[in-house]
Amino acid sequence: KREFDVQSIRADFPILSDKVNGQDLVYLDNGATSQKPQMVIDAIDDYYQHTNSNVHRGAHALSDKATQLFEEAREKVQHFINASCREEIIWTRGTTEAINLVAQTWGRENITQGDEVIVSTLEHHSNIVPWQILCQSVGAILKPINVKANGELDLAHYKTLLSEKTKLVAIGHISNALGVINPVKEIIDLAHSLGAKVLVDGAQAAPHLMIDVRELDCDFYAFSGHKMFAPTGIGVLYGKQEILESMPPWHGGGEMIEKVSFDGTTFNKLPYKFEAGTPNIEGSIALGAAIDYLEQFDRRELAQYEHELIEYATEKAKTIPEMRIVGSDCNKTSVLSFVLEGFHSADVGMILDQQGIAVRTGHHCAMPLMDALGLNGTIRASFSFYNTKAEVDRLFAGLEKAKTFLM
Ligand code: PMP
């Protein structure tokens, strides 16, 4: 394994040596999207220079090469999340599309009038709205698990919501707004004990945790490439093979069919049944390259380093009396989500931006969570293993400046 050295890692990410607003970039918006290492950028470049062709056509050598790289990437994803077989890996545009796929296929087939779907209050909108749309159209009921004031899910409340009527629990592995890690294994086991299926939104987990879908025993797992050092426009839906087999297709078109006639059409086998149309070939290959990049390292070392960064930032927070961290005493990843009492988050974000410091402010696509916590938004600094303590120092110096300026 490659030794962990933050400076050599930073050298892998070209954008990190750029200047923004005349200052050295401090990129602390990794929760929104991660930066890309040269290895991933090269994979895209190389694909268009030496491979570009359509896949699964078997027409010529280039097409065979594209197909081979595309399918190898699928196998990398399979191993990355420890799925049982490649048929369980469906390419999507991202987490959002993966969740909508499940809602519109498995959901429409298995959820009817009076059934219940459980989500949590801290979900990203993309793990709420697809279920609202489904429930409204079939007459089912959507029930949110309460969140405690510290940002943890209220498991006692979850147990009261679960019943024979529960058909599905859709739960985030890690909250994007707070970084809180949810006890998904416990949530899954409880749901299964009542016969409900579970979808895990792993958008924020894939870049930070080692994911093992077989150990979790989740029925579906969704994540996006762009948050784990790959490009936008590519993501993954994992589903247990027997469940995917039982589901009707979603989009119709090329690739997803076996035989088409006006008397009736038969569908392709997994995973192609859910991959209508020409896929994002370079995106899949580049996601494979991002996995290769990560797997050079002992990933526990990356996580340990991120943990040190967040501990350091949390300690520094004590020097700013106005700073209130949301979710500080929870089991969480490297996210510092906070309010500065007396200051508007958006104003603070703007002044940080002028200093080349990128954070996200606002509701983080989790409006129900903000409502539940009585906040109209937070400032979120989300760290990756390429960030440094010196950058944490820049953030805090930037916050002091913002306070002086906005006072
Ligand atoms: N779920 C969570 C927890 C997220 O953080 C995000 C992205 N912010 C999404 C879902 C949606 O991902 P995408 O926009 O890549 O589809």
Side-chain angles (χ1 to χ4, degrees), residues 178-304:
L178 309 178
V180 173
I181 305 172
N182 293 321
V184 282
K185 179 66 185 149
E186 198 176 340
I187 289 169
I188 292 164
D189 290 346
L190 282 164
H192 283 169
S193 71
L194 283 155
K197 300 284 186 249
V198 183
L199 174 140
V200 179
D201 169 355
Q204 294 293 335
H208 299 291
L209 304 183
M210 316 262 266
I211 296 158
D212 185 333
V213 289
R214 270 188 279 180
E215 198 200 58
L216 285 175
D217 195 30
C218 52
D219 302 288
F220 300 104
Y221 197 98
F223 60 100
S224 301
H226 71 94
K227 293 184 199 279
M228 52 168 290
F229 318 104
T232 50
I234 188 70
V236 172
L237 172 68
Y238 157 83
K240 282 183 183 163
Q241 188 173 11
E242 71 275 16
I243 301 178
L244 291 176
E245 294 283 8
S246 76
M247 285 159 47
W250 185 28
H251 294 154
E255 290 291 324
M256 55 77 72
I257 52 85
E258 182 189 55
K259 192 167 185 309
V260 179
S261 87
F262 287 109
D263 296 330
T265 289
T266 52
F267 304 118
N268 205 341
K269 55 188 192 308
L270 290 176
Y272 314 113
K273 182 170 85 174
F274 295 106
E275 295 180 353
T278 300
N280 180 353
I281 306 167
E282 82 280 15
S284 302
I285 294 170
L287 176 52
I291 291 173
D292 289 343
Y293 181 80
L294 284 171
E295 290 188 343
Q296 298 173 88
F297 301 97
D298 176 348
R299 292 193 63 207
R300 283 164 307 194
E301 268 181 33
L302 301 181
Q304 176 56 32

